Amino acid sequence: MSNILITPEALAVLIAEGAPVRVLDVRWRLDRPDGRPDYLAGHIPGAVYVSLDDELAAHGEPADGRHPLPDAATLQAAVRRWGINDGDTVVVYDDLKSLSAARAWWVLTDAGLADVRILDGALRAWTAAGLPLNEGDVVPVPGSATLSAGRLAQVSIDEAAELAASGALLDVRAPERYRGDVEPIDPRAGHIPGSINVPTTGNVDEDGRFLGPEALLARFTAAGVDAASPVAVSCGSGVTASHAFVALRLAGFAPTLYPGSWSQWANHPDRPVATGPNPGSR
């Protein structure tokens, strides 16, 4: 496994050995953002629930996007509340092919936590391995981890516009949203001119596990990603773009994240919009 992913079996060993590991349950869906009821009904033993909307995102103006990155002070308070200390291994998981867990991986890795892993295959892989779940809440002893943001690359709205012309800006939303056929939540439909549609759901297999590095490399190369040119990822609001960021890293690329993504772009009326299946012109 890479230093990003961990198998259910390897996590079970860490827990059984009493290793310094903190497990975070990051269940979230666009249509059901509060994953706490599902967490309370059954979670990996020792896992602490994390609210993506409230703890892994800030709440700003519409022009900032729907899920701006959290500020440093708020994130550090949350990390300590979750019981994390410097040097801990942190494992994040969800029940949706790691789409929201990847957001936690990105935010915590960017904040300077040295060993953050995604449970490959999500909660489904844990239960499929015959491993147990616990019910109820987990309230850990507060931790003392110290954070230092800025470890991972990101681009602003202006930089995303430039990169769509000079490199590769991947839009990893579903094809119908990229084309502009539908737009269930943001004020305009379509995509950033020049961006390339590479849905992130294609980066995992039918069991929700990430494809191997060679398969991911072939997928991104076929889409026009070149190791010699910059590549950034966007989505609706920066959540599933984090998942594509992970997939690009697994494939050997050095990606950047556009946190504002379409939810920010669509809220700037002065920004052009392309529709249809092709990238369009900037």
Side-chain angles (χ1 to χ4, degrees):
M1 300 295 287
S2 74
N3 60 358
I4 296 177
L5 306 177
I6 188 170
T7 65
E9 294 80 6
L11 175 57
V13 169
L14 290 178
I15 294 172
E17 292 178 344
V21 57
R22 173 60 61 201
V23 183
L24 305 180
D25 185 307
V26 197
R27 276 182 264 192
W28 172 93
R29 296 170 187 259
L30 189 61
D31 61 341
R32 196 171 72 244
D34 184 6
R36 181 175 285 277
D38 292 331
Y39 161 82
L40 294 173
H43 55 77
I44 292 175
V48 176
Y49 176 70
V50 173
S51 169
L52 187 149
D53 276 352
D54 299 319
E55 297 174 305
L56 296 175
H59 299 277
E61 297 298 322
D64 298 327
R66 282 184 280 111
H67 290 108
L69 296 174
D71 66 77
T74 299
L75 181 61
Q76 179 155 291
V79 164
R80 291 181 175 182
R81 186 169 60 252
W82 302 332
I84 297 174
N85 296 299
D86 291 327
D88 285 353
T89 293
V90 179
V91 177
V92 294
Y93 75 91
D94 59 33
D95 60 354
L96 191 64
K97 302 179 180 179
S98 301
L99 294 177
S100 54
R103 167 72 171 212
W105 177 90
W106 197 98
V107 169
L108 297 178
T109 301
D110 178 69
L113 294 184
D115 187 15
V116 186
R117 310 291 185 95
I118 296 171
L119 180 63
D120 197 25
L123 186 62
R124 176 181 175 183
W126 178 270
T127 56
L131 295 165
L133 298 178
N134 285 354
E135 298 179 356
D137 203 4
V138 173
V139 181
V141 175
S144 59
T146 54
L147 305 183
S148 177
R151 306 300 179 90
L152 298 178
Q154 58 178 289
V155 294
S156 67
I157 188 171
D158 290 332
E159 291 167 331
E162 290 298 324
L163 202 145
S166 63
L169 177 62
L170 306 186
D171 183 325
V172 303
R173 295 175 298 162
E176 61 270 21
R177 289 189 69 192
Y178 173 84
R179 293 192 302 264
D181 299 345
V182 298
E183 182 44 66
I185 191 165
D186 293 316
R188 293 193 288 168
H191 59 267
I192 298 171
S195 62
I196 305 164
N197 190 213
V198 187
T200 199
T201 50
N203 294 324
V204 296
D205 64 19
E206 60 184 11
D207 294 321
R209 292 182 171 87
F210 280 94
L211 302 179
E214 296 81 6
L216 290 171
L217 176 61
R219 184 168 193 259
F220 290 122
T221 300
V225 179
D226 181 349
S229 301
V231 56
V233 285
S234 68
C235 61
S237 65
V239 174
T240 55
S242 301
H243 188 270
F245 185 103
V246 168
L248 283 160
R249 285 277 291 258
L250 294 172
F253 294 102
T256 58
L257 178 78
Y258 173 29
S261 288
W262 182 248
S263 63
Q264 181 182 45
W265 189 278
N267 274 289
H268 286 258
D270 58 315
R271 299 286 176 173
V273 170
T275 56
N278 299 315
S281 59
R282 177 174 169 267

